[in-house]
């Protein structure tokens, strides 16, 4: 299984924090391939990490779990966004996004969030895909404005966009 470099980078940052880690997984195993991916993530993560699986109510989890004495790793924001877009009623997406931004702004402790950059290639053909890219872009911009450090990982190499070097 190919493991995205940004996930590995996030896991390294969590380990380097020297804090107890809680991994917040937003993936939903909707098919056999995703089930295998999730299993690969579980096998790769340190066994002493906590795990919370939450595909939709991310802000509630962060409000409850972020404390000064632990590191929270969210993997991943774009899957969380996809989960909302795939619901027949996505009316909660905007409220949840506002809640997420509010929680991130005041979260104590170490919070590491993984998201995929989706707007550096061609414009997608479908309306849903274009909407996803637009929403992901706005989400990432809004989160970056609230974060102390922003790192873009390309080919396994960190490119510091904001904050202290990795």
């Amino acid at each position: 299984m190919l493991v995205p470099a940004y996930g590995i980078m996030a896991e390294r940052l969590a380990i380097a924090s020297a804090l107890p880690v809680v991994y917040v997984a937003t993936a939903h195993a909707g098919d056999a391939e995703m089930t295998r991916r999730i299993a690969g993530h579980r096998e790769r993560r340190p066994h002493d990490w906590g795990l919370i699986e939450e595909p939709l109510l991310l802000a509630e989890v962060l409000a409850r779990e972020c404390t000064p004495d632990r590191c929270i790793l969210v993997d991943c924001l774009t899957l969380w966004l996809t989960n909302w877009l795939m619901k027949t009623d996505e009316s909660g997406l905007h409220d949840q996004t506002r809640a997420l931004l509010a929680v991130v702004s005041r979260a104590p402790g170490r919070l590491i969030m993984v998201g995929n950059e989706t707007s550096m290639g061609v414009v997608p053909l479908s309306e849903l895909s274009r909407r996803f890219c637009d929403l992901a872009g706005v989400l990432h911009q809004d989160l970056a404005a609230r974060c102390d450090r922003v790192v873009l990982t390309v080919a396994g190499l960190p490119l510091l966009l904001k904050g202290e070097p990795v």
Side-chain angles (χ1 to χ4, degrees), residues 64-82:
R64 182 181 69 238
E65 298 295 326
C66 287
T67 63
D69 59 342
R70 71 164 59 137
C71 177
I72 307 295
L73 194 165
V74 176
D75 193 0
C76 97
L77 296 168
T78 42
L79 278 175
W80 172 78
L81 179 60
T82 298

Side-chain angles (χ1 to χ4, degrees), residues 8-164:
I8 291 173
M9 175 64 64
E11 291 170 3
R12 287 181 183 158
L13 291 171
I15 291 168
S17 76
L19 296 168
V21 177
V22 176
Y23 187 96
V24 180
T26 63
H28 171 69
D31 57 37
E33 189 272 339
M34 186 55 105
T35 299
R36 285 191 300 276
R37 280 180 179 264
I38 291 170
H41 277 254
R42 285 181 179 145
E43 290 171 15
R44 190 180 71 247
R45 285 193 304 264
H47 296 291
D48 62 337
W49 285 11
L51 171 64
I52 297 172
E53 296 176 331
E54 178 50 61
L56 296 170
L57 304 177
L58 184 55
E60 290 179 20
V61 169
L62 296 181
R64 182 181 69 238
E65 298 295 326
C66 287
T67 63
D69 59 342
R70 71 164 59 137
C71 177
I72 307 295
L73 194 165
V74 176
D75 193 0
C76 97
L77 296 168
T78 42
L79 278 175
W80 172 78
L81 179 60
T82 298
N83 294 336
W84 275 104
L85 289 176
M86 299 310 295
K87 289 177 61 71
T88 54
D89 176 15
E90 63 179 73
S91 61
L93 172 60
H94 297 294
D95 290 339
Q96 286 294 315
T97 300
R98 278 192 296 278
L100 176 63
L101 294 172
V103 167
V104 167
S105 294
R106 65 179 191 276
R110 179 74 52 96
L111 175 59
I112 300 169
M113 298 176 289
V114 174
N116 301 294
E117 173 52 57
T118 59
S119 299
M120 293 179 75
V122 298
V123 176
L125 293 176
S126 75
E127 183 274 335
L128 178 61
S129 296
R130 288 188 301 273
R131 185 159 178 261
F132 167 79
C133 287
D134 291 345
L135 289 170
V138 170
L139 176 65
H140 289 135
Q141 289 174 52
D142 289 345
L143 285 168
R146 289 160 173 81
C147 291
D148 296 327
R149 180 169 40 185
V150 179
V151 179
L152 175 66
T153 305
V154 179
L157 302 173
L159 175 61
L160 182 66
L161 302 180
K162 177 182 177 183
E164 295 294 319

